Amino acid sequence: MIGACLAIAVSAEQSAQPANPHADVLSIGGSVTEIVATLGQGHRLKARDTTSSYPPEVTNLPDVGYMRALSPEGVLSVGPSLILSEEGAGPPEALDVIRAADVAFVEVPNALTTKGIQRKIRIIGKALDVPTRAKALSARVGREMTKAIQDSTRPEGDKKRVLFMLSTQGGKINASGTGTAADALIRMAGGVNAITDFPGYKQITDEAVGMAAPDVILMMDRGGDHGMADDELFDMPAIKLTPAAQNRAVLRIDGLLMLGFGPRTAKAVRDLNHALYNEGA
């Protein structure tokens, strides 16, 4: 069985301080919050959304709710002077009300590439008035990503087929096709996305899973009682006849690390590559 257990030490520079009277920023989106902290501006965070879980200190901040189900009252009640929001927050009618309020609102575009991550960093750095720090962090991330991707390169014939499963609600598999963060990470880490027939995430049939013939199942590490046990996973009719089930090959990785496409993505690339090819972290 392939396993990945990831832990990251948080530096003092990244620590958020909820009691700071000068905190003025509401961060919506896990990667946005992580970039704010990595830029040394964690002390300015006044509140965050539910997806913001790294660095761990930010979980002590007021939580305005899930980024795709925000309420204007909840967002504005924390009294931010600046809202940094990842693209895709909503619902749209709630954002219309929030944007109409007397609060600076900066939307940060999603990213699936190194340049996209660097752009996110620069946009956030500009909004926080720390462009020099953002330039330095952007350059560092660029170097780390380039090396991680180069080190993960595999010959085509050696690449493992990876099926990313977003959920298994009702026994139906919701899997990643092309153009997703999971798809991008799999390719960066030297793997092949086993599902390429459609873009985005979609519920797929048992037959489609069988035809995909994944060597490895990749899932978010939901922890506790929220995750699916190995025996239950490999006993699913769609999975049980795949190469992944025969080898009991499943990887569970922290969702924000894997799909956030922020400052730690180079680590996610390395860790996934090492886990796929048994090279050790």
Side-chain angles (χ1 to χ4, degrees):
M1 169 181 171
I2 305 174
C5 202
L6 312 170
I8 308 232
V10 181
S11 68
E13 178 185 64
Q14 293 176 312
S15 298
Q17 301 173 26
N20 191 316
H22 303 295
D24 61 338
V25 177
L26 164 60
S27 180
I28 299 172
S31 70
V32 171
T33 302
E34 184 174 334
I35 290 170
V36 172
T38 308
L39 286 171
Q41 301 300 295
H43 61 283
R44 291 183 57 182
L45 289 170
K46 192 167 191 176
R48 50 102 191 185
D49 78 309
T50 302
T51 70
S52 298
S53 58
Y54 186 89
E57 286 81 359
V58 303
T59 59
N60 296 321
L61 295 168
D63 182 348
V64 300
Y66 178 53
M67 65 173 287
R68 303 191 195 282
L70 300 171
S71 74
E73 297 80 10
V75 167
L76 298 175
S77 69
V78 298
S81 60
L82 171 63
I83 298 174
L84 295 172
S85 176
E86 193 170 290
E87 181 183 359
E93 55 271 22
L95 284 193
D96 289 343
V97 175
I98 294 167
R99 288 177 182 273
D102 188 23
V103 180
F105 186 98
V106 175
E107 184 175 70
V108 182
N110 292 324
L112 296 178
T113 64
T114 300
K115 288 184 177 179
I117 298 172
Q118 291 175 306
R119 183 185 179 201
K120 288 166 70 171
I121 292 169
R122 291 194 300 270
I123 289 172
I124 294 170
K126 180 179 179 181
L128 295 173
D129 198 26
V130 288
T132 302
R133 289 191 182 192
K135 182 178 179 180
L137 177 60
S138 175
R140 190 191 85 195
V141 166
R143 292 191 299 270
E144 291 175 347
M145 287 292 293
T146 296
K147 180 168 175 48
I149 293 170
Q150 287 178 343
D151 290 347
S152 299
T153 301
R154 312 285 298 194
E156 285 297 323
D158 293 344
K159 292 183 177 181
K160 291 191 176 180
R161 297 176 59 81
V162 182
L163 173 65
F164 176 76
M165 293 171 43
L166 181 64
S167 66
T168 56
Q169 188 172 8
K172 298 295 184 180
I173 294 174
N174 192 321
S176 169
T178 61
T180 67
D183 173 65
L185 185 69
I186 288 167
R187 289 185 286 104
M188 287 177 175
V192 173
N193 187 352
I195 303 291
T196 58
D197 294 339
F198 57 84
Y201 295 97
K202 182 179 177 181
Q203 194 173 93
I204 60 176
T205 65
D206 292 2
E207 182 183 14
V209 175
M211 292 179 64
D215 299 304
V216 179
I217 305 297
L218 178 61
M219 305 173 71
M220 287 189 287
D221 183 4
R222 300 182 185 275
D225 296 328
H226 300 290
M228 174 180 280
D230 288 1
D231 288 343
E232 184 181 1
L233 170 66
F234 294 127
D235 197 45
M236 292 182 68
I239 301 294
K240 65 191 310 178
L241 297 180
T242 64
Q246 293 168 18
N247 296 313
R248 295 184 68 82
V250 58
L251 293 173
R252 293 181 175 85
I253 300 179
D254 175 78
L256 179 56
L257 174 65
M258 179 168 50
L259 306 179
F261 274 70
R264 294 182 296 156
T265 299
K267 175 175 174 54
V269 171
R270 291 194 305 270
D271 288 350
L272 179 54
N273 174 263
H274 292 157
L276 285 173
Y277 300 105
N278 296 308
E279 294 172 352

